[in-house]
Amino acid sequence: MRQDAYELLGVGRTADERSIKKAFRGLARELHPDVNSHDPEAEAKFKAAAEAYEVLSDPERRAVYDRHGWDGLVSGGAQGGHGFGSFSDIFEAFFGGDPFGGGRGGGPGVIQGGDIAAEVEISLEQAARSASVDVAYDSVAPCERCHGNRAEPGTPIEACERCGGQGQLRAVTRTAFGQMVRAQVCDLCGGEGKVATTPCTECGGQGLRAVRRELSVDIPAGIADGQRIRITGRGHAGERGGPAGDLYVVVRVAEDERFLRDGSNLVAVVDVPAPAAALGTEVTVATLDGEETVEVPAGTQPGTVVTLSGRGMPTIDRGRPGDQQVVLNVVVPRNLTPRQRELMAELRDSVTEENMSEAASDSLLSKVRRALR
Ligand SMILES: [Zn+2]
Ligand SMILES: [Zn+2]
């Protein structure tokens, strides 16, 4: 036996339209599945209450129900055809929006300001140490003349005629649940409820102006080319009390001709004349901390890499800094003078297999031995 519609809503058989509506509203808040996830029956109860309300809120259907009960309505559509949609649909239709009164702050028509992207270029050295850089950018800001209220100073601001100062327009529609009221932002005043009689001459009544702004931005050490820094609230101004957008500073790290950057490692290439590499020498290498002397042992081969541990870029998370790698580019002399040719020829003729093989101390075996020591 299906439960009585009046009982479902908890009202008497003579209840008027208003108390029926009030009863359903109270039940709906109580039974809404979103706030009753712990009660598996809430959804079914809510649906039953909604069906009862659908019948009792319609005078014709209520009369049929009073005479014949649920059976009289089976063909009338309570069971088929209507379809309740999701519960939030019902709520939106019935309560006109968020059923629990939450939602965004501010009045109707609040608009958050847009985000801005600005670009700044720094040197590799600045990227290695934290830097403070001035960033200039264009943004929308409240008009200084009218302070954002859109009216020429000294002129009145009047209540909007279209919405009567409410900022909202209400549209009434009839649905299965009776009269539904929907609110929308007034298109004349944009939700403010007020209209300037004489628009501000500076901003043309927009309340906003484009301004050039400059900001000092701290760039953390170790930043990579193309990384962005977000500065909240420094974007375009919001409208109608809305918050400002954000500023994104895109950091470009200029190339440094002395180094290649590979993540947190730096790579530098140093030319070493072949005879000097054969005899052993020292070379001067640029580092982020100034010049450094690097030992080149006798017999150094082209492409040998010397690692200066911890001398690369810092990491943004302040982990272990990278290394600097020095690639020894052994260069064979070109454009020889006659005397140099003589010396080279003499050297060539004296080179033996012994000169070409690795020194005993540099053999693979001894390297492995050293690594295991
Ligand atoms: Zn203005
Ligand atoms: Zn209005």
Side-chain angles (χ1 to χ4, degrees):
M1 180 77 192
R2 194 165 170 186
Q3 199 180 347
D4 179 69
Y6 292 96
E7 270 175 36
L8 271 165
L9 293 183
V11 294
R13 299 198 81 83
T14 55
D16 62 10
E17 206 176 305
R18 255 190 68 207
S19 36
I20 286 170
K21 187 173 186 171
K22 198 175 154 206
F24 175 62
R25 192 182 277 261
L27 264 179
R29 284 186 193 279
E30 217 172 278
L31 292 171
H32 192 272
D34 286 355
V35 295
N36 274 292
S37 48
H38 58 277
D39 182 358
E41 283 175 30
E43 186 173 329
K45 286 184 193 164
F46 178 73
K47 204 173 166 188
E51 282 169 351
Y53 176 72
E54 194 208 355
V55 169
L56 298 187
S57 62
D58 182 321
E60 266 176 50
R61 293 166 64 72
R62 185 178 175 181
V64 173
Y65 178 81
D66 284 345
R67 254 178 289 148
H68 306 287
W70 288 112
D71 293 343
L73 290 163
V74 170
S75 58
Q79 299 298 312
H82 273 287
F84 282 100
S86 76
F87 290 102
S88 45
D89 286 348
I90 296 176
F91 256 102
E92 216 198 68
F94 194 74
F95 295 108
D98 185 346
F100 304 109
R104 302 174 309 164
V110 163
I111 300 169
Q112 174 162 20
D115 295 336
I116 299 174
E119 199 173 88
V120 65
E121 186 176 89
I122 60 172
S123 68
L124 185 68
E125 255 146 3
Q126 283 177 308
R129 331 203 181 293
S130 55
S132 187
V133 179
D134 289 336
V135 180
Y137 60 101
D138 294 314
S139 73
V140 167
C143 170
E144 281 177 11
R145 184 172 175 84
C146 64
H147 301 286
N149 75 14
R150 300 155 189 256
E152 180 69 5
T155 67
I157 298 172
E158 290 174 352
C160 173
E161 281 177 21
R162 183 164 304 170
C163 63
Q166 296 301 303
Q168 294 185 358
L169 296 174
R170 291 174 188 283
V172 179
T173 50
R174 253 197 80 76
T175 75
F177 298 116
Q179 283 197 340
M180 303 299 155
V181 179
R182 282 181 178 274
Q184 66 186 70
V185 173
C186 172
D187 55 346
L188 184 63
C189 63
E192 225 147 69
K194 297 171 290 187
V195 175
T197 49
T198 311
C200 168
T201 52
E202 188 75 29
C203 62
Q206 294 299 303
L208 299 168
R209 295 214 60 200
V211 292
R212 186 110 183 126
R213 281 201 275 190
E214 202 163 291
L215 190 66
S216 180
V217 177
D218 289 327
I219 297 175
I223 196 149
D225 180 54
Q227 279 188 314
R228 304 191 304 170
I229 298 171
R230 176 182 174 185
I231 301 159
T232 45
R234 294 303 190 128
H236 294 303
E239 287 185 61
R240 309 183 203 290
D246 299 333
L247 172 67
Y248 288 90
V249 178
V250 181
V251 179
R252 308 258 56 141
V253 180
E255 285 202 9
D256 190 307
E257 58 182 17
R258 300 167 300 168
F259 309 105
L260 284 171
R261 186 177 181 181
D262 176 20
S264 63
N265 293 334
L266 293 176
V267 181
V269 178
V270 183
D271 288 344
V272 184
L279 295 169
T281 187
E282 283 178 346
V283 290
T284 305
V285 178
T287 73
L288 286 173
D289 312 310
E291 299 203 319
E292 185 87 9
T293 301
V294 169
E295 189 85 13
V296 179
T300 291
Q301 299 299 310
T304 298
V305 176
V306 178
T307 299
L308 305 179
S309 186
R311 301 293 292 277
M313 297 291 288
T315 57
I316 226 161
D317 59 5
R318 299 193 179 150
R320 186 193 167 278
D323 301 328
Q324 178 169 339
Q325 286 160 342
V326 181
V327 179
L328 300 176
N329 181 35
V330 175
V331 182
V332 174
R334 307 175 185 89
N335 310 318
L336 301 180
T337 64
R339 170 71 183 137
Q340 288 172 323
R341 284 188 64 85
E342 247 174 59
L343 290 169
M344 275 297 180
E346 205 175 310
L347 181 62
R348 176 198 60 204
D349 295 343
S350 67
V351 165
T352 64
E353 208 42 47
E354 184 69 10
N355 297 121
M356 305 297 289
S357 64
E358 284 184 82
S361 65
D362 279 336
S363 73
L364 186 60
L365 198 63
S366 58
K367 275 181 190 160
V368 172
R369 221 174 262 136
R370 251 181 286 149
L372 294 176
R373 199 177 289 157

